């Protein structure tokens, strides 16, 4: 299930807020301040909804706007609801992300957020050498997807996969090759 560390609908219910990131501006979202009550309230509402819907795994979107300490707090909160986290773009998160990957069950890497060699090193450092890593792209990212697949093959990395959405941002999913 999808969960967002931002106030995705810009409701104003999860303040106080801090300055918007480029991503938040692009998607018209607000960024809850991690030390404010809205940060946790936003997550708890989403986790309760996903749990009720029967999800076991959740992706936490936009972790790169926060420090690893804040992201780990979100992972712990997900655990309180019996939810397992799929780390997203961990190499873009501020701080030593080893604990973030170690606390997660898989990793999603978008174009520009890491490569197979670095992800192999990170999952080994986190003590999870067999953790699944999913590289995802959309739109004009097909050539990146193909070169990422070739790097996986060349490095003989296990449990790494590549998909490309031919119909825009996550509008479809095509496995590469």
């Amino acid at each position: 299930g999808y969960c967002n560390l931002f106030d995705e609908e810009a409701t104003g219910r999860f303040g106080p807020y801090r300055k918007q990131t480029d991503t938040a501006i692009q998607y018209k979202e607000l960024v809850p301040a991690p030390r404010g009550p809205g940060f946790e309230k936003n997550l708890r509402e989403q986790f309760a909804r996903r749990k009720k819907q029967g999800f076991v795994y959740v992706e936490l979107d936009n972790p790169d706007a926060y420090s690893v300490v804040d992201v780990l707090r979100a992972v712990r909160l997900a655990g309180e609801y019996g939810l397992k986290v799929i780390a997203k773009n961990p190499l873009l998160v501020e701080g030593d992300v080893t604990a973030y990957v170690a606390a997660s069950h898989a990793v999603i890497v978008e174009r520009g957020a890491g490569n197979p060699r670095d992800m192999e090193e990170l999952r080994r450092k986190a003590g999870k050498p067999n953790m699944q890593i999913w590289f995802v792209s959309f739109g004009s990212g097909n050539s990146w997807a193909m070169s990422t697949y070739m790097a996986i093959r060349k490095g003989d990395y296990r449990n790494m996969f590549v998909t490309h959405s031919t119909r825009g941002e996550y509008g479809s999913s095509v496995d590469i090759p």
Side-chain angles (χ1 to χ4, degrees), residues 60-153:
L60 298 177
D61 199 10
N62 298 307
D64 53 316
Y66 296 94
S67 74
V68 72
V69 171
D70 300 324
V71 175
L72 283 170
R73 185 167 144 227
V75 172
R76 284 191 296 279
L77 283 171
E80 289 180 20
Y81 290 82
L83 297 168
K84 300 172 183 178
V85 170
I86 298 171
K88 184 169 184 185
N89 300 330
L91 292 174
L92 299 182
V93 175
E94 176 189 318
D96 180 358
V97 296
T98 307
Y100 175 34
V101 172
S104 300
H105 293 269
V107 176
I108 294 172
V109 181
E110 293 177 309
R111 179 171 60 156
N115 60 57
R117 183 187 69 249
D118 291 343
M119 292 310 303
E120 175 73 9
E121 181 181 314
L122 179 56
R123 70 180 176 180
R124 287 187 181 281
K125 186 176 175 186
K128 294 193 167 185
N130 296 314
M131 174 182 264
Q132 291 191 10
I133 310 286
W134 302 312
F135 293 90
V136 299
S137 70
F138 61 91
S140 63
N142 192 47
S143 62
W144 174 83
M146 289 303 295
S147 65
T148 299
Y149 169 74
M150 295 308 292
I152 290 168
R153 276 189 56 189

